[in-house]
């Protein structure tokens, strides 16, 4: 089992350019999360999917960020246009769906974005 | 408000010394709390959850509702314990984790 797979691992772009991150969750995990981790901070939730439905996107800056999870498996997080302050690690995580989350999230290795 | 506070950014101890990583929370009701760990060059992973009352790798954590704390403890630190530790709280809806800022534990010989 490969675990949660994210790509790219590293991305360097100039400001105002677009960027996209891809995530493949653990097979059978219906819940998928995108977290943002700024330097020296803990992960902060951006968006949560239950299957293909975005059920919590209240923290996603919708003016420049978008996400999708077609077919309820892989997910893509996009930033357009990127700003200097978007430099961070973007973490994808997945978990089994239940009536109550067990609290065990399985994280990917993260995608580190540097905006110049 | 739901919040997790980890007051120490860095904790440095010698091998064999006791370790206590502090975590305080703000929550209305009965919280569910977790410790996650990230070793160097590895992904973030669950270490333990308070509801299981388990000891993992010698670490334990007790929920103290009076002090709103969930400190992580180990009686004798090992060099392999060096890592970043995050305290996390399950949100009120039970749908996502709220993380603290993390504490770096450095164990030296």
């Amino acid at each position: 089992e490969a675990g949660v797979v994210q790509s790219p691992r590293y991305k360097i772009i100039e400001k105002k350019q677009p960027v996209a991150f891809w995530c493949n969750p653990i097979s059978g995990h219906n819940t998928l999360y995108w977290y943002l981790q700024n330097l020296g901070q803990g992960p902060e939730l951006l968006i949560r999917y239950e299957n293909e439905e975005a059920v919590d996107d209240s923290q996603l800056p919708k003016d420049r960020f978008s996400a999708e999870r077609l077919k309820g498996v892989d997910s893509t997080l996009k930033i357009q246009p990127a700003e200097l302050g978007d430099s961070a690690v973007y973490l994808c995580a997945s978990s089994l769906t239940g009536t109550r989350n067990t609290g065990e999230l399985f994280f990917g290795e993260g995608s580190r974005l540097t905006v110049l | 408000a739901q919040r997790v506070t980890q007051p120490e950014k860095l904790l440095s101890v010698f091998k064999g010394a006791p370790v206590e990583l502090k975590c305080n929370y703000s929550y209305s009701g009965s919280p569910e709390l977790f410790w996650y760990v990230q070793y160097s060059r590895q992904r973030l992973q669950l270490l333990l959850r308070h509801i299981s009352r388990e000891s993992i790798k010698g670490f334990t954590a007790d929920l103290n509702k009076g002090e709103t704390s969930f400190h992580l403890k180990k009686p004798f630190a090992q060099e392999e314990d060096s890592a970043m530790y995050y305290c996390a709280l399950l949100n009120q809806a039970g749908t996502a984790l709220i993380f603290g800022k993390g504490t770096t534990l450095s164990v030296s010989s």
Side-chain angles (χ1 to χ4, degrees):
Chain A
E1 177 70 72
V4 176
V5 179
Q6 289 187 247
S7 69
R9 290 290 315 281
Y10 305 92
K11 188 74 175 179
I12 301 174
I13 61 172
E14 293 189 347
K15 62 181 179 182
K16 300 185 182 179
Q17 294 301 304
V19 63
F21 304 112
W22 174 82
C23 174
N24 178 242
I26 291 174
S27 177
H29 282 192
N30 296 328
T31 308
L32 184 146
Y33 310 78
W34 283 102
Y35 276 86
L36 165 68
Q37 186 169 23
N38 286 303
L39 187 64
Q41 304 292 316
E44 297 173 33
L45 182 68
L46 286 173
I47 189 168
R48 178 175 67 92
Y49 282 92
E50 293 291 346
N51 298 303
E52 66 275 8
E53 184 182 359
V55 293
D56 183 358
D57 63 355
S58 58
Q59 301 304 310
L60 190 73
K62 297 180 183 64
D63 56 336
R64 298 183 300 106
F65 286 67
S66 64
E68 60 182 11
R69 191 183 184 197
L70 300 176
K71 300 181 182 178
V73 181
D74 295 358
S75 177
T76 302
L77 177 69
K78 298 178 182 178
I79 309 174
Q80 183 170 10
E83 296 179 352
L84 295 177
D86 297 332
S87 295
V89 176
Y90 293 83
L91 292 168
C92 179
S94 69
S95 70
L96 292 169
T97 300
T99 54
R100 187 158 181 87
N101 193 308
T102 63
E104 182 159 19
L105 304 187
F106 294 84
F107 283 87
E109 293 178 294
S111 293
R112 181 178 296 275
L113 173 65
T114 301
V115 182
L116 304 176
Chain B
Q2 304 165 76
R3 188 169 55 247
V4 176
T5 303
Q6 294 181 252
E8 304 146 324
K9 289 190 90 170
L10 172 65
L11 183 63
S12 296
V13 301
F14 287 107
K15 178 182 173 181
V19 169
E20 182 178 67
L21 297 164
K22 292 184 168 51
C23 171
N24 290 91
Y25 66 90
S26 174
Y27 187 86
S28 210
S30 292
E32 287 191 42
L33 287 147
F34 310 84
W35 277 98
Y36 274 73
V37 61
Q38 187 167 25
Y39 300 102
S40 179
R41 297 188 184 85
Q42 295 188 28
R43 59 190 70 195
L44 191 59
Q45 59 187 289
L46 177 66
L47 179 63
L48 57 79
R49 67 196 88 189
H50 95 270
I51 201 167
S52 300
R53 295 184 166 274
E54 56 204 345
S55 172
I56 303 293
K57 299 183 178 182
F59 283 99
T60 59
D62 291 320
L63 176 61
N64 185 323
K65 290 187 178 181
E67 296 184 356
T68 60
S69 69
F70 187 57
H71 303 329
L72 184 67
K73 300 177 184 178
K74 184 169 183 177
F76 308 103
Q78 301 299 314
E79 289 182 77
E80 54 265 31
D81 296 328
S82 295
M84 189 73 169
Y85 291 81
Y86 294 94
C87 184
L89 169 69
L90 189 62
N91 67 2
Q92 210 86 43
T95 55
L97 293 178
I98 300 167
F99 287 87
K101 292 186 178 182
T103 298
T104 300
L105 174 64
S106 175
V107 182
S108 55
S109 56

